[in-house]
Amino acid sequence: GSWDKPSLDEAVQEGMLGLARAVDKYDPERGLRFSTYATHWITSYVRVCFQRAVTGCLRVPSQLHDIKSAYNKIIRDALHLGSDPPEQSSIAEQLGITEKRLTTAIRATGSLVSVDAPVTSAGSGRYKGSMAGGDGSNSNELLILDTLKCAEPRPEDQVEISFLRQCLENAMATELTPYERDILRLRLGLDSGEGKTVREIVEISGGSISMSDVRTAERRAFKKLRSPTSVHTHNLLAYLDLAGADVQGSLRR
């Protein structure tokens, strides 16, 4: 078996579960032979086993699988007779359902694709060998997972940013005055995520400070945070070194 197809042992186990279910629900007074009654439950359990394997963790109603099976049978019969496969609208009319329902069944019961599967172009062959001595995968091949992109930062990056933010907050609380902290927060956008210009800070303060006061406070705050004698300097420099920045140049500014 594979991740999308049960093995013979798994199918036999499902059949045994169906047999056990038939034993529990069999009623001799109904006049049915036990073999006839058990066949229904065994085939039902095995069929559901294969259906679950196709859709994986997605729970798809069995009615959609039945529609897909009937659809495939009509396509096979048409190809066997040497004729072109009928249109979906014609097949939906034969099945007595709407074309939208048929399209939903085909999409919902499609096989899942593993993100660890290699990306293969049309006409390129997949490696088929004994795979002895390993898992048979080529470490240099491009996987589907490698082509997926996410706009959100990686979890490890979020943790690093969280630690950096906490380290910066501790340094600002220890080294800077409340006035300098407020100026730096507004300039760097530490609270809102959007930095403000010097003119915007003056407008926020209502004109109580000048543009030169804002620039002076900003330079004084950066000088304190870059000071080698600062308690939290070594923590901030560790993040600069991790990012590949010029640590000595940052100290000289």
Side-chain angles (χ1 to χ4, degrees):
S2 60
W3 71 274
D4 61 343
K5 183 180 297 183
S7 63
L8 177 61
D9 291 339
E10 293 172 338
V12 171
Q13 292 175 5
E14 291 293 333
M16 295 298 295
L17 292 176
L19 178 61
R21 181 69 171 173
V23 172
D24 293 337
K25 296 182 68 65
Y26 179 65
D27 186 6
E29 297 180 358
R30 299 181 61 181
L32 296 175
R33 297 178 59 183
F34 177 75
S35 59
T36 304
Y37 184 76
T39 300
H40 165 74
W41 286 103
I42 293 174
T43 55
S44 177
Y45 268 67
V46 174
R47 185 186 307 110
V48 171
C49 173
F50 278 86
Q51 291 175 354
R52 285 200 306 261
V54 171
T55 56
C57 59
L58 303 178
R59 301 302 299 270
V60 179
S62 59
Q63 293 86 350
L64 297 182
H65 285 284
D66 296 338
I67 294 174
K68 178 69 173 295
S69 299
Y71 169 81
N72 291 335
K73 184 178 183 302
I74 294 175
I75 297 294
R76 286 196 304 268
D77 292 344
L79 295 177
H80 181 71
L81 295 175
S83 58
D84 295 332
E87 299 291 337
Q88 282 195 9
S89 57
S90 177
I91 297 178
E93 185 177 354
Q94 295 182 43
L95 298 178
I97 58 177
T98 62
E99 186 177 357
K100 182 178 179 181
R101 175 75 169 174
L102 177 59
T103 304
T104 301
I106 295 174
R107 287 185 175 181
T109 56
S111 300
L112 300 180
V113 179
S114 174
V115 296
D116 295 324
V119 177
T120 56
S121 58
S124 62
R126 294 285 297 275
Y127 173 78
K128 295 181 180 180
S130 62
M131 294 184 288
D135 58 359
S137 61
N138 185 1
S139 58
N140 296 326
E141 64 186 2
L142 181 65
L143 304 181
I144 296 178
L145 181 62
D146 300 330
T147 63
L148 300 179
K149 295 183 180 180
C150 180
E152 298 294 330
R154 296 181 301 175
E156 54 268 27
D157 292 339
Q158 292 181 346
V159 173
E160 288 293 336
I161 292 174
S162 176
F163 283 139
L164 175 58
R165 176 63 183 268
Q166 185 62 43
C167 181
L168 182 59
E169 291 287 346
N170 294 336
M172 290 171 60
T174 304
E175 304 295 336
L176 306 183
T177 63
Y179 171 69
E180 294 169 345
R181 288 200 299 267
D182 294 340
I183 295 296
L184 212 57
R185 286 181 183 278
L186 292 173
R187 285 287 287 150
L188 301 179
L190 298 180
D191 296 327
S192 61
E194 182 179 355
K196 298 187 179 300
T197 63
V198 176
R199 187 179 300 276
E200 289 175 342
I201 295 177
V202 173
E203 293 176 356
I204 292 175
S205 64
S208 59
I209 57 177
S210 63
M211 297 177 62
S212 61
D213 294 336
V214 175
R215 294 191 181 96
T216 302
E218 182 182 5
R219 287 195 298 268
R220 188 166 58 247
F222 280 130
K223 184 177 181 180
K224 290 181 179 179
L225 293 177
R226 291 170 179 150
S227 174
T229 60
S230 175
V231 177
H232 300 274
T233 298
H234 64 283
N235 292 331
L236 295 175
L237 292 180
Y239 285 99
L240 289 177
D241 187 32
L242 183 64
D246 185 7
V247 177
Q248 297 299 328
S250 300
L251 291 176
R252 289 193 298 268
R253 293 179 182 176

